[in-house]
Amino acid sequence: MWKKAESFIRQCYTELDKLSEIDARLAEIKSAINHTGRYEHTYEELEYGAKAAWRNSNRCIGRLFWDSLRVLDHRNSKTEEDIINGLLEHIDYATNQGRIRSTITIFPPEINGEAVRIWNHQLIRYAGYEELTGVIGDPASIELTRACRRLGWEGKGSPFDVLPLVVQIGENEPQWYEIPAEKILEVPLRHPEYEWFKDLQLKWYAVPIISDMRLEIGGIDYTAAPFNGWYMETEIGARNLADEFRYNLLPAVAEGMGLNIRRNSSLWKDRALIELNQAVLHSYKSDKVSIVDHHSAAQQFQLFLSKEKSCGREATGDWTWLIPPLSPASTQIFHQSFEDRIDTPNYFYQEKAY
Ligand code: ARG
């Protein structure tokens, strides 16, 4: 812990231009670790750490905006109820009526020595029910949906039921809470030209808030630190709604377009993908909900790369994740390569809590 703390503090205070404070702060941290086995971040360290963790997220194409992350400090939460209230505040603050604010809420690394975990993958996500006739809803949520039902939650059984928030402290019984419907901003999908598209009755939620990753800053593990940006349209239109193992909607869209789905060479999948993504962009924009198309996101990423260079850093990256799933070679990212080194602070996967 001490080694990690020391290197983080040096990096943090150097970048924040507070070199003269390093020695005193390190002495303070060393003594805290020696006496209690732990130390606490100041708000400034926490804020810098969360931002740097985003900057170091090799798979994220949206990192140009790392420095504008809003960091909400909820390290004073004591109970499951405190945490659930913090999650509801996060949803309101980040949603902001559609003008989405990139936000992270940081809960205590532990409460009375016990780890804090949010079971949800994202604070807002649709349930998936495995039925004899097939899956209803999001197949990616089948396991969590089963866990929620074991806790006593009952879904309506529609394709777009939002799962409840589930919070657990240590080995205590997990507490669940149904998010009030008025707090959940959703966008009904329609197409700028195809009138029939709305009859597919598709929608998606506005704000993707990842809630199952561990934020590591200076040797401290924040196991509950949900964060969000805004969507890039391909996440919804080329993956969530399109993947065969998710909502698998390309055949339905292609049929609506009157394409021959028996022949690969009609390129029906490609044509359906484009129109589905167009519908996502059109609907979010019409409803004034923040969203970025993959060409603009790729341009913003190039700007991030050059800004990093001019600060004397070389951005790291995971090419396989950075390229968008639509027309990847039409973006500059495709024609570059990146070092996929994992620096800290960073966000890490952790074992499922359920
Ligand atoms: N790809 C995930 C989803 O479709 C969200 C990941 C985070 N995305 C973001 N734009 N911040 O739900």
Side-chain angles (χ1 to χ4, degrees):
M1 160 116 77
W2 162 249
K3 278 276 149 249
K4 288 181 169 185
E6 183 187 8
S7 96
F8 166 68
I9 294 296
R10 289 191 189 284
Q11 180 193 327
C12 172
Y13 284 64
T14 306
E15 280 193 39
L16 297 180
D17 219 6
K18 300 174 73 167
L19 289 174
S20 63
E21 294 174 31
I22 292 183
D23 289 342
R25 180 61 179 140
L26 284 179
E28 191 174 62
I29 291 175
K30 185 169 231 168
S31 131
I33 294 179
N34 284 340
H35 287 101
T36 66
R38 24 179 251 108
Y39 77 103
E40 271 174 35
H41 289 130
T42 64
Y43 177 76
E44 205 176 25
E45 292 161 1
L46 192 71
E47 181 182 44
Y48 168 79
K51 289 178 173 184
W54 183 4
R55 192 175 80 199
N56 287 332
S57 292
N58 290 357
R59 295 177 163 185
C60 177
I61 193 177
R63 285 180 277 165
L64 175 61
F65 304 105
W66 68 271
D67 201 23
S68 61
L69 179 66
R70 324 276 179 127
V71 180
L72 307 182
D73 183 3
H74 279 243
R75 287 176 296 168
N76 56 4
S77 299
K78 300 271 180 288
T79 63
E80 291 88 348
E81 194 188 338
D82 293 344
I83 291 167
I84 285 172
N85 285 328
L87 298 178
L88 295 173
E89 275 177 45
H90 185 126
I91 291 172
D92 281 341
Y93 184 81
T95 304
N96 192 28
Q97 281 118 232
R99 282 182 41 91
I100 297 175
R101 293 188 274 226
S102 298
T103 305
I104 183 168
T105 300
I106 304 183
F107 293 103
E110 41 190 46
I111 293 177
N112 303 324
E114 309 261 35
V116 183
R117 289 295 300 272
I118 300 163
W119 281 20
N120 311 71
H121 164 61
Q122 294 180 26
L123 296 186
I124 299 170
R125 219 185 189 209
Y126 300 122
Y129 309 93
E130 202 163 29
E131 317 258 287
L132 295 169
T133 47
V135 178
I136 296 181
D138 192 342
S141 299
I142 289 177
E143 237 193 296
L144 179 59
T145 304
R146 259 195 231 118
C148 289
R149 285 173 130 177
R150 278 198 295 272
L151 295 176
W153 176 78
E154 280 174 58
K156 291 200 173 63
S158 92
F160 299 104
D161 293 349
V162 174
L163 287 162
L165 299 171
V166 185
V167 168
Q168 184 173 31
I169 300 177
E171 295 303 308
N172 298 350
E173 178 74 2
Q175 302 293 307
W176 62 269
Y177 183 84
E178 186 94 56
I179 306 171
E182 68 270 15
K183 291 194 179 293
I184 304 172
L185 184 59
E186 294 180 297
V187 179
L189 300 184
R190 58 271 192 199
H191 188 278
E193 286 126 42
Y194 301 148
E195 259 303 305
W196 51 265
F197 192 95
K198 62 174 190 319
D199 302 328
L200 295 171
Q201 300 213 40
L202 306 180
K203 62 175 173 177
W204 203 256
Y205 51 87
V207 193
I209 314 170
I210 302 289
S211 48
D212 58 356
M213 292 182 86
R214 167 175 67 87
L215 165 60
E216 181 182 332
I217 305 174
I220 298 182
D221 288 325
Y222 296 98
T223 54
F227 59 85
N228 73 278
W230 49 82
Y231 266 116
M232 178 165 85
E233 107 285 9
T234 55
E235 299 183 86
I236 304 166
R239 303 299 312 279
N240 301 343
L241 296 178
D243 279 341
E244 285 182 18
F245 51 89
R246 298 292 298 286
Y247 279 80
N248 189 24
L249 285 161
L250 294 185
V253 174
E255 302 249 281
M257 295 169 69
L259 302 175
N260 181 353
I261 69 168
R262 312 267 155 245
R263 283 195 325 130
N264 284 331
S265 59
S266 73
L267 300 189
W268 64 271
K269 284 190 182 177
D270 312 73
R271 297 179 64 182
L273 269 170
I274 294 298
E275 300 309 336
L276 182 51
N277 278 264
Q278 194 76 80
V280 170
L281 279 170
H282 168 76
S283 308
Y284 275 64
K285 281 181 185 285
S286 304
D287 285 3
K288 300 198 164 56
V289 174
S290 307
I291 192 156
V292 66
D293 66 83
H294 54 291
H295 300 290
S296 305
Q299 286 169 351
Q300 291 163 357
F301 186 72
Q302 291 304 135
L303 200 52
F304 167 68
L305 294 178
S306 59
K307 277 200 165 179
E308 286 301 289
K309 267 223 176 71
S310 68
C311 294
R313 294 184 293 263
E314 187 76 32
T316 53
D318 178 347
W319 186 93
T320 65
W321 273 62
L322 288 170
I323 56 164
L326 281 191
S327 316
S330 72
T331 68
Q332 276 193 63
I333 303 176
F334 187 89
H335 309 281
Q336 290 169 279
S337 59
F338 308 95
E339 188 185 344
D340 193 8
R341 186 188 67 235
I342 310 297
D343 291 333
T344 52
N346 215 320
Y347 299 98
F348 294 92
Y349 294 141
Q350 46 190 348
E351 243 173 73
K352 279 211 181 75
Y354 52 91

PDB file of all heavy atoms in Angstrom, residues 2 13 22-35 38-40 42 45:
ATOM      1  N   TRP A   2       1.928   1.233   0.828  1.00  0.00           N
ATOM      2  CA  TRP A   2       2.770   2.428   0.913  1.00  0.00           C
ATOM      3  C   TRP A   2       3.415   2.772  -0.433  1.00  0.00           C
ATOM      4  O   TRP A   2       3.403   3.916  -0.876  1.00  0.00           O
ATOM      5  CB  TRP A   2       3.842   2.246   2.007  1.00  0.00           C
ATOM      6  CG  TRP A   2       4.983   3.223   1.855  1.00  0.00           C
ATOM      7  CD1 TRP A   2       6.258   2.942   1.490  1.00  0.00           C
ATOM      8  CD2 TRP A   2       4.896   4.660   1.996  1.00  0.00           C
ATOM      9  NE1 TRP A   2       6.988   4.100   1.397  1.00  0.00           N
ATOM     10  CE2 TRP A   2       6.184   5.168   1.707  1.00  0.00           C
ATOM     11  CE3 TRP A   2       3.872   5.550   2.330  1.00  0.00           C
ATOM     12  CZ2 TRP A   2       6.477   6.528   1.742  1.00  0.00           C
ATOM     13  CZ3 TRP A   2       4.164   6.911   2.365  1.00  0.00           C
ATOM     14  CH2 TRP A   2       5.453   7.383   2.082  1.00  0.00           C
ATOM     15  N   TYR A  13       0.564  15.258  -7.130  1.00  0.00           N
ATOM     16  CA  TYR A  13       1.009  16.592  -6.737  1.00  0.00           C
ATOM     17  C   TYR A  13       1.885  17.233  -7.802  1.00  0.00           C
ATOM     18  O   TYR A  13       1.928  18.454  -7.928  1.00  0.00           O
ATOM     19  CB  TYR A  13       1.690  16.545  -5.356  1.00  0.00           C
ATOM     20  CG  TYR A  13       0.685  16.413  -4.223  1.00  0.00           C
ATOM     21  CD1 TYR A  13      -0.110  15.273  -4.115  1.00  0.00           C
ATOM     22  CD2 TYR A  13       0.502  17.430  -3.287  1.00  0.00           C
ATOM     23  CE1 TYR A  13      -1.053  15.141  -3.100  1.00  0.00           C
ATOM     24  CE2 TYR A  13      -0.432  17.313  -2.265  1.00  0.00           C
ATOM     25  CZ  TYR A  13      -1.200  16.168  -2.181  1.00  0.00           C
ATOM     26  OH  TYR A  13      -2.139  16.046  -1.174  1.00  0.00           O
ATOM     27  N   ILE A  22       4.569  17.744  -1.303  1.00  0.00           N
ATOM     28  CA  ILE A  22       4.710  16.284  -1.378  1.00  0.00           C
ATOM     29  C   ILE A  22       5.292  15.678  -0.101  1.00  0.00           C
ATOM     30  O   ILE A  22       4.738  14.726   0.451  1.00  0.00           O
ATOM     31  CB  ILE A  22       5.594  15.880  -2.593  1.00  0.00           C
ATOM     32  CG1 ILE A  22       4.847  16.210  -3.894  1.00  0.00           C
ATOM     33  CG2 ILE A  22       5.931  14.399  -2.547  1.00  0.00           C
ATOM     34  CD1 ILE A  22       5.584  15.800  -5.154  1.00  0.00           C
ATOM     35  N   ASP A  23       6.380  16.227   0.398  1.00  0.00           N
ATOM     36  CA  ASP A  23       7.078  15.578   1.505  1.00  0.00           C
ATOM     37  C   ASP A  23       6.212  15.497   2.753  1.00  0.00           C
ATOM     38  O   ASP A  23       6.126  14.446   3.395  1.00  0.00           O
ATOM     39  CB  ASP A  23       8.402  16.318   1.811  1.00  0.00           C
ATOM     40  CG  ASP A  23       9.426  16.066   0.696  1.00  0.00           C
ATOM     41  OD1 ASP A  23       9.222  15.092  -0.071  1.00  0.00           O
ATOM     42  OD2 ASP A  23      10.395  16.842   0.588  1.00  0.00           O
ATOM     43  N   ALA A  24       5.540  16.601   3.073  1.00  0.00           N
ATOM     44  CA  ALA A  24       4.690  16.606   4.266  1.00  0.00           C
ATOM     45  C   ALA A  24       3.546  15.600   4.114  1.00  0.00           C
ATOM     46  O   ALA A  24       3.224  14.852   5.044  1.00  0.00           O
ATOM     47  CB  ALA A  24       4.130  18.011   4.494  1.00  0.00           C
ATOM     48  N   ARG A  25       2.953  15.573   2.929  1.00  0.00           N
ATOM     49  CA  ARG A  25       1.822  14.658   2.703  1.00  0.00           C
ATOM     50  C   ARG A  25       2.276  13.203   2.789  1.00  0.00           C
ATOM     51  O   ARG A  25       1.579  12.351   3.350  1.00  0.00           O
ATOM     52  CB  ARG A  25       1.178  14.959   1.341  1.00  0.00           C
ATOM     53  CG  ARG A  25       0.010  14.084   0.983  1.00  0.00           C
ATOM     54  CD  ARG A  25      -1.153  14.205   1.973  1.00  0.00           C
ATOM     55  NE  ARG A  25      -2.285  13.361   1.588  1.00  0.00           N
ATOM     56  CZ  ARG A  25      -3.025  12.661   2.429  1.00  0.00           C
ATOM     57  NH1 ARG A  25      -2.757  12.683   3.733  1.00  0.00           N
ATOM     58  NH2 ARG A  25      -4.027  11.928   1.990  1.00  0.00           N
ATOM     59  N   LEU A  26       3.460  12.915   2.242  1.00  0.00           N
ATOM     60  CA  LEU A  26       3.961  11.534   2.290  1.00  0.00           C
ATOM     61  C   LEU A  26       4.249  11.113   3.729  1.00  0.00           C
ATOM     62  O   LEU A  26       3.959   9.985   4.129  1.00  0.00           O
ATOM     63  CB  LEU A  26       5.223  11.388   1.429  1.00  0.00           C
ATOM     64  CG  LEU A  26       4.975  11.330  -0.085  1.00  0.00           C
ATOM     65  CD1 LEU A  26       6.295  11.211  -0.845  1.00  0.00           C
ATOM     66  CD2 LEU A  26       4.043  10.169  -0.454  1.00  0.00           C
ATOM     67  N   ALA A  27       4.782  12.036   4.536  1.00  0.00           N
ATOM     68  CA  ALA A  27       5.080  11.710   5.936  1.00  0.00           C
ATOM     69  C   ALA A  27       3.776  11.382   6.670  1.00  0.00           C
ATOM     70  O   ALA A  27       3.701  10.420   7.453  1.00  0.00           O
ATOM     71  CB  ALA A  27       5.794  12.888   6.595  1.00  0.00           C
ATOM     72  N   GLU A  28       2.746  12.181   6.388  1.00  0.00           N
ATOM     73  CA  GLU A  28       1.439  11.979   7.010  1.00  0.00           C
ATOM     74  C   GLU A  28       0.866  10.600   6.646  1.00  0.00           C
ATOM     75  O   GLU A  28       0.362   9.863   7.506  1.00  0.00           O
ATOM     76  CB  GLU A  28       0.521  13.088   6.479  1.00  0.00           C
ATOM     77  CG  GLU A  28      -0.801  13.285   7.139  1.00  0.00           C
ATOM     78  CD  GLU A  28      -1.489  14.538   6.552  1.00  0.00           C
ATOM     79  OE1 GLU A  28      -1.779  14.558   5.327  1.00  0.00           O
ATOM     80  OE2 GLU A  28      -1.707  15.489   7.308  1.00  0.00           O
ATOM     81  N   ILE A  29       0.970  10.259   5.360  1.00  0.00           N
ATOM     82  CA  ILE A  29       0.416   8.987   4.887  1.00  0.00           C
ATOM     83  C   ILE A  29       1.203   7.817   5.476  1.00  0.00           C
ATOM     84  O   ILE A  29       0.620   6.822   5.919  1.00  0.00           O
ATOM     85  CB  ILE A  29       0.420   8.933   3.342  1.00  0.00           C
ATOM     86  CG1 ILE A  29      -0.611   9.927   2.788  1.00  0.00           C
ATOM     87  CG2 ILE A  29       0.144   7.526   2.839  1.00  0.00           C
ATOM     88  CD1 ILE A  29      -0.611  10.057   1.272  1.00  0.00           C
ATOM     89  N   LYS A  30       2.529   7.963   5.538  1.00  0.00           N
ATOM     90  CA  LYS A  30       3.354   6.877   6.074  1.00  0.00           C
ATOM     91  C   LYS A  30       2.966   6.596   7.513  1.00  0.00           C
ATOM     92  O   LYS A  30       2.772   5.443   7.914  1.00  0.00           O
ATOM     93  CB  LYS A  30       4.837   7.253   5.991  1.00  0.00           C
ATOM     94  CG  LYS A  30       5.770   6.127   6.406  1.00  0.00           C
ATOM     95  CD  LYS A  30       7.215   6.450   6.063  1.00  0.00           C
ATOM     96  CE  LYS A  30       7.867   5.314   5.305  1.00  0.00           C
ATOM     97  NZ  LYS A  30       9.157   5.715   4.715  1.00  0.00           N
ATOM     98  N   SER A  31       2.783   7.634   8.277  1.00  0.00           N
ATOM     99  CA  SER A  31       2.447   7.418   9.685  1.00  0.00           C
ATOM    100  C   SER A  31       1.037   6.828   9.824  1.00  0.00           C
ATOM    101  O   SER A  31       0.795   5.938  10.642  1.00  0.00           O
ATOM    102  CB  SER A  31       2.635   8.733  10.455  1.00  0.00           C
ATOM    103  OG  SER A  31       1.526   9.020  11.255  1.00  0.00           O
ATOM    104  N   ALA A  32       0.109   7.283   8.976  1.00  0.00           N
ATOM    105  CA  ALA A  32      -1.249   6.712   9.023  1.00  0.00           C
ATOM    106  C   ALA A  32      -1.210   5.218   8.709  1.00  0.00           C
ATOM    107  O   ALA A  32      -1.847   4.405   9.400  1.00  0.00           O
ATOM    108  CB  ALA A  32      -2.159   7.440   8.033  1.00  0.00           C
ATOM    109  N   ILE A  33      -0.446   4.843   7.682  1.00  0.00           N
ATOM    110  CA  ILE A  33      -0.378   3.417   7.308  1.00  0.00           C
ATOM    111  C   ILE A  33       0.277   2.614   8.421  1.00  0.00           C
ATOM    112  O   ILE A  33      -0.192   1.526   8.784  1.00  0.00           O
ATOM    113  CB  ILE A  33       0.374   3.240   5.962  1.00  0.00           C
ATOM    114  CG1 ILE A  33      -0.427   3.872   4.820  1.00  0.00           C
ATOM    115  CG2 ILE A  33       0.617   1.762   5.672  1.00  0.00           C
ATOM    116  CD1 ILE A  33       0.231   3.786   3.453  1.00  0.00           C
ATOM    117  N   ASN A  34       1.325   3.163   9.029  1.00  0.00           N
ATOM    118  CA  ASN A  34       2.003   2.441  10.121  1.00  0.00           C
ATOM    119  C   ASN A  34       1.094   2.242  11.328  1.00  0.00           C
ATOM    120  O   ASN A  34       1.122   1.203  11.977  1.00  0.00           O
ATOM    121  CB  ASN A  34       3.274   3.192  10.552  1.00  0.00           C
ATOM    122  CG  ASN A  34       4.396   2.991   9.534  1.00  0.00           C
ATOM    123  OD1 ASN A  34       4.356   2.041   8.740  1.00  0.00           O
ATOM    124  ND2 ASN A  34       5.364   3.894   9.532  1.00  0.00           N
ATOM    125  N   HIS A  35       0.269   3.248  11.620  1.00  0.00           N
ATOM    126  CA  HIS A  35      -0.563   3.153  12.826  1.00  0.00           C
ATOM    127  C   HIS A  35      -1.873   2.417  12.604  1.00  0.00           C
ATOM    128  O   HIS A  35      -2.361   1.738  13.494  1.00  0.00           O
ATOM    129  CB  HIS A  35      -0.847   4.560  13.375  1.00  0.00           C
ATOM    130  CG  HIS A  35       0.350   5.180  14.027  1.00  0.00           C
ATOM    131  ND1 HIS A  35       1.139   6.124  13.393  1.00  0.00           N
ATOM    132  CD2 HIS A  35       0.908   4.979  15.244  1.00  0.00           C
ATOM    133  CE1 HIS A  35       2.129   6.471  14.188  1.00  0.00           C
ATOM    134  NE2 HIS A  35       2.023   5.790  15.318  1.00  0.00           N
ATOM    135  N   ARG A  38      -4.001   1.897   7.044  1.00  0.00           N
ATOM    136  CA  ARG A  38      -4.678   2.517   5.910  1.00  0.00           C
ATOM    137  C   ARG A  38      -4.453   4.028   5.897  1.00  0.00           C
ATOM    138  O   ARG A  38      -3.880   4.566   6.853  1.00  0.00           O
ATOM    139  CB  ARG A  38      -6.179   2.218   5.941  1.00  0.00           C
ATOM    140  CG  ARG A  38      -6.729   1.888   7.342  1.00  0.00           C
ATOM    141  CD  ARG A  38      -8.202   1.615   7.360  1.00  0.00           C
ATOM    142  NE  ARG A  38      -8.870   2.730   8.025  1.00  0.00           N
ATOM    143  CZ  ARG A  38      -9.612   3.631   7.412  1.00  0.00           C
ATOM    144  NH1 ARG A  38      -9.816   3.562   6.120  1.00  0.00           N
ATOM    145  NH2 ARG A  38     -10.161   4.619   8.084  1.00  0.00           N
ATOM    146  N   TYR A  39      -4.885   4.670   4.848  1.00  0.00           N
ATOM    147  CA  TYR A  39      -4.864   6.138   4.816  1.00  0.00           C
ATOM    148  C   TYR A  39      -6.065   6.598   4.035  1.00  0.00           C
ATOM    149  O   TYR A  39      -6.734   5.801   3.376  1.00  0.00           O
ATOM    150  CB  TYR A  39      -3.544   6.658   4.210  1.00  0.00           C
ATOM    151  CG  TYR A  39      -3.438   6.577   2.711  1.00  0.00           C
ATOM    152  CD1 TYR A  39      -3.596   7.726   1.910  1.00  0.00           C
ATOM    153  CD2 TYR A  39      -3.165   5.365   2.066  1.00  0.00           C
ATOM    154  CE1 TYR A  39      -3.492   7.658   0.529  1.00  0.00           C
ATOM    155  CE2 TYR A  39      -3.055   5.303   0.680  1.00  0.00           C
ATOM    156  CZ  TYR A  39      -3.222   6.449  -0.081  1.00  0.00           C
ATOM    157  OH  TYR A  39      -3.125   6.389  -1.455  1.00  0.00           O
ATOM    158  N   GLU A  40      -6.378   7.904   4.140  1.00  0.00           N
ATOM    159  CA  GLU A  40      -7.537   8.436   3.415  1.00  0.00           C
ATOM    160  C   GLU A  40      -7.093   9.474   2.405  1.00  0.00           C
ATOM    161  O   GLU A  40      -6.190  10.272   2.680  1.00  0.00           O
ATOM    162  CB  GLU A  40      -8.518   9.080   4.413  1.00  0.00           C
ATOM    163  CG  GLU A  40      -9.532   8.097   4.956  1.00  0.00           C
ATOM    164  CD  GLU A  40     -10.402   8.709   6.050  1.00  0.00           C
ATOM    165  OE1 GLU A  40     -10.723   9.920   5.951  1.00  0.00           O
ATOM    166  OE2 GLU A  40     -10.719   7.976   6.997  1.00  0.00           O
ATOM    167  N   THR A  42      -7.463  12.939   0.361  1.00  0.00           N
ATOM    168  CA  THR A  42      -8.137  14.238   0.437  1.00  0.00           C
ATOM    169  C   THR A  42      -9.108  14.299  -0.739  1.00  0.00           C
ATOM    170  O   THR A  42      -9.002  13.503  -1.678  1.00  0.00           O
ATOM    171  CB  THR A  42      -7.129  15.398   0.283  1.00  0.00           C
ATOM    172  OG1 THR A  42      -6.572  15.312  -1.052  1.00  0.00           O
ATOM    173  CG2 THR A  42      -6.011  15.301   1.315  1.00  0.00           C
ATOM    174  N   GLU A  45      -7.153  14.696  -3.980  1.00  0.00           N
ATOM    175  CA  GLU A  45      -6.513  13.462  -4.449  1.00  0.00           C
ATOM    176  C   GLU A  45      -7.538  12.526  -5.076  1.00  0.00           C
ATOM    177  O   GLU A  45      -7.298  11.887  -6.107  1.00  0.00           O
ATOM    178  CB  GLU A  45      -5.806  12.759  -3.276  1.00  0.00           C
ATOM    179  CG  GLU A  45      -4.592  13.517  -2.749  1.00  0.00           C
ATOM    180  CD  GLU A  45      -4.167  13.086  -1.339  1.00  0.00           C
ATOM    181  OE1 GLU A  45      -4.810  12.174  -0.768  1.00  0.00           O
ATOM    182  OE2 GLU A  45      -3.210  13.681  -0.802  1.00  0.00           O
TER     183      GLU A  45
END
